[in-house]
Each structure stands twice: as structure tokens, then as C-alpha cells.
Amino acid sequence: MKNRLSRIIKPKTGRTLMLAVDHGYFMGPTAGLEQFDKTVEPLIPYADALMLTRGALRNYIKPEYDIPIVLRISGGTSIIGKELLHEGIITSIEDAIRLNACAVAFSIMVGADFERDTLLALAQVIDEAERYGIPVLAVTAVGKEMERDARYLSLACRMAAEFGAHMVKTYYCKDFTKVVETCPVPIVIAGGKKRPEKEALEMAYNAIQEGAVGVDMGRNIFQSEDPVAMIQAVRAIVHEDATPDEAFKLFNDIKEERKKT
Ligand code: 5RP
């Protein structure tokens, strides 16, 4: 368990840059990931871990790549369905092990009618994963109508940790330190919808400075006008404590340099 966690959260900095490219499991061919391998392959050298589904792993990622896999094992509803994120188990722990996953990711929906289903499924996943020393990343999903505030997110993160999750993925919010301080396991933040690069870098910086161990960022990297430059800018924030200004300059410098080649 500890070894697997150390492959994801790098001991040298105690931080991680997870690249989230699991969106297809409920969003289908998400903008930027239509040609999955073309977008993701050039980003792999700069990511500490890849979060994706078994289908994406099997079809798009060469087995030769030495990158820890955080396998998305929850799903069951789509972005156009009636119940967003009412998820159950879509991949067994045995298959996660067979695919050499370093961790598995499961979404919970606290505050929705079906919260009980997702929480009991999380408990089942944790029991099964513990048996084999596989860490579980609980994703605190947020419905369209729910407030992404510290009160709600600290409730969801703390519940996930009390259920036994080994890491939690949540959203950055005002008073984020409250979320971090009341959660006994490492927290990574999702990027959320695409926003201007400078803003995304500021959000990552604030989250790290306020106690997140890293990011599990997707659209703000792979939908950037230059994803390769963006992931390196985020990396500088995560592992080198670069300020948003420094990271944004790095983004622009790499982008300009790449235009020449
Ligand atoms: C949904 C998820 C996503 O599929 C994904 O990982 C989110 O990443 P981002 O918001 O940075 O695009 O976790 O709950």
C-alpha cells in the first residue's frame, strides 16, 4: 500500500501531479480527448500518475509506459442521463490488479438522493482493495445544484476518509484550509471546467499552498491551447512551488518555443 502511494505522491516533494483523462466514462468523446493517444502521449513524461478507465488504458496506452495508473472503477450514469453520478462499481479489484493499477478511484455523491448507494459501494471497494494493498482515491463528486463550498466539501472529504479512503479528490473552494485541516488523508484537487490558463494556475497554486498534496487535473491541461506547455507550468507549481506568475511565464515561454519547432 505504502509503496503504491509513494509511486503516486512523490516522496521527494510529498506532492503529485495526476493527469485526469477518465472523462469518457460519463462524458463520451470529451473535447480534447477524441484522439486520446495523440493528446495524452506527449503529456505522460510530465505526469506523476494517469487517472483513466480500463478501456482507455487497454486501447490507448502502450504497456511499455512507466507511469502509475489510478484506475477509475466507478460509473453507471452519463452526462445526459437523469441521475448524474449515481455510480456503482464498473471494474473489479481483480481486474485493477491484472492491469497493474497503483490505485483505484471511486466517486461518491454526498447530499444526493442516492448518496447511500455510492457510499456503500465505496465501502465495498475499500474492503476489497485493502485485501490486496491497493489505495482508494475517493472522488467527492458534486451535482449541478450543489454548492462547492468548504462546509459541503469538508463533509464529503471527511466522510470519505472515515470510510477508509486513502486519498481524496475534491474541488478548490474558499476557506479550503478548513477542508484540508479536517481531512486526515491527502487531498488532490480537480481542475473542473476549462478556464483561462492563468486562472487555472492560480487555483492550483492556492490549493497547494493551502495544503493539497497536488492536483488531479484534466480539462485545464488537455483543453489548453498548448497542453504540453500547460502541464509543465502546473508541474512547476506542484513540485517547485512556482508562483502563478512564474508558472504562467513558463507556459508562454514553452508555448512560443514549441511554435518554432
Ligand atoms: C469526475 C471526475 C472527472 O472525470 C475528472 O477526473 C475531472 O477532472 P477535471 O475536472 O480536472 O477535468 O473526477 O468527478
Side-chain angles (χ1 to χ4, degrees):
M1 174 78 74
K2 207 164 177 191
N3 176 266
R4 288 187 176 104
L5 281 169
S6 301
R7 292 197 60 216
I8 298 168
I9 302 169
K10 299 299 175 194
K12 201 168 162 202
T13 57
R15 299 207 181 133
T16 185
L17 194 179
M18 259 183 239
L19 177 64
V21 284
D22 59 325
H23 306 62
Y25 88 98
F26 77 114
M27 290 168 67
T30 311
L33 293 180
E34 299 92 336
Q35 306 294 315
F36 191 98
D37 39 355
K38 282 208 181 78
T39 304
V40 176
E41 269 185 21
L43 304 178
I44 289 177
Y46 308 103
D48 295 317
L50 257 192
M51 181 196 193
L52 78 181
T53 60
R54 69 173 160 192
L57 181 61
R58 184 185 295 151
N59 290 299
Y60 297 118
I61 302 296
K62 294 188 185 92
E64 290 80 13
Y65 281 123
D66 181 18
I67 178 107
I69 298 298
V70 178
L71 198 69
R72 155 71 64 183
I73 63 160
S74 69
T77 51
S78 76
I79 195 151
I80 57 169
K82 286 196 191 106
E83 285 187 330
L84 183 64
L85 301 166
H86 183 172
E87 299 185 359
I89 302 165
I90 58 165
T91 303
S92 68
I93 293 296
E94 285 70 23
D95 209 35
I97 294 166
R98 198 185 61 77
L99 292 162
N100 201 22
C102 241
V104 293
F106 193 94
S107 287
I108 55 169
M109 195 57 157
V110 173
D113 289 346
F114 46 81
E115 66 173 12
R116 185 168 190 275
D117 294 354
T118 61
L119 288 168
L120 294 187
L122 172 70
Q124 187 187 330
V125 161
I126 293 170
D127 272 341
E128 288 168 13
E130 286 276 358
R131 210 171 290 146
Y132 305 102
I134 307 281
V136 177
L137 170 69
V139 181
T140 61
V142 181
K144 282 179 194 147
E145 67 291 345
M146 281 175 200
E147 277 290 320
R148 291 183 187 182
D149 61 17
R151 192 163 159 253
Y152 171 73
L153 295 176
S154 58
L155 168 78
C157 290
R158 178 60 176 264
M159 283 180 67
E162 299 250 358
F163 269 57
H166 308 90
M167 293 176 279
V168 174
K169 171 174 176 173
T170 194
Y171 290 90
Y172 180 69
C173 62
K174 195 167 163 280
D175 299 325
F176 187 68
T177 40
K178 187 184 163 209
V179 182
V180 176
E181 281 168 2
T182 55
C183 179
V185 300
I187 292 185
V188 288
I189 59 145
K193 282 195 184 134
K194 171 79 178 76
R195 49 179 94 199
E197 276 77 3
K198 180 79 189 288
E199 263 181 43
L201 293 169
E202 273 162 5
M203 181 179 66
Y205 177 81
N206 291 337
I208 300 278
Q209 297 305 315
E210 290 169 42
V213 301
V215 299
D216 183 13
M217 198 176 257
R219 288 163 289 180
N220 278 288
I221 292 176
F222 65 74
Q223 291 177 349
S224 164
E225 64 177 294
D226 189 333
V228 173
M230 186 58 178
I231 195 168
Q232 290 181 72
V234 176
R235 195 168 177 84
I237 285 177
V238 170
H239 287 296
E240 289 157 35
D241 282 322
T243 63
D245 283 341
E246 288 165 345
F248 190 54
K249 182 175 180 309
L250 185 66
F251 168 75
N252 283 317
D253 290 349
I254 297 172
K255 189 179 77 179
E256 291 314 312
E257 202 53 43
R258 280 165 46 76
K259 274 188 195 156
K260 292 182 202 155
T261 54

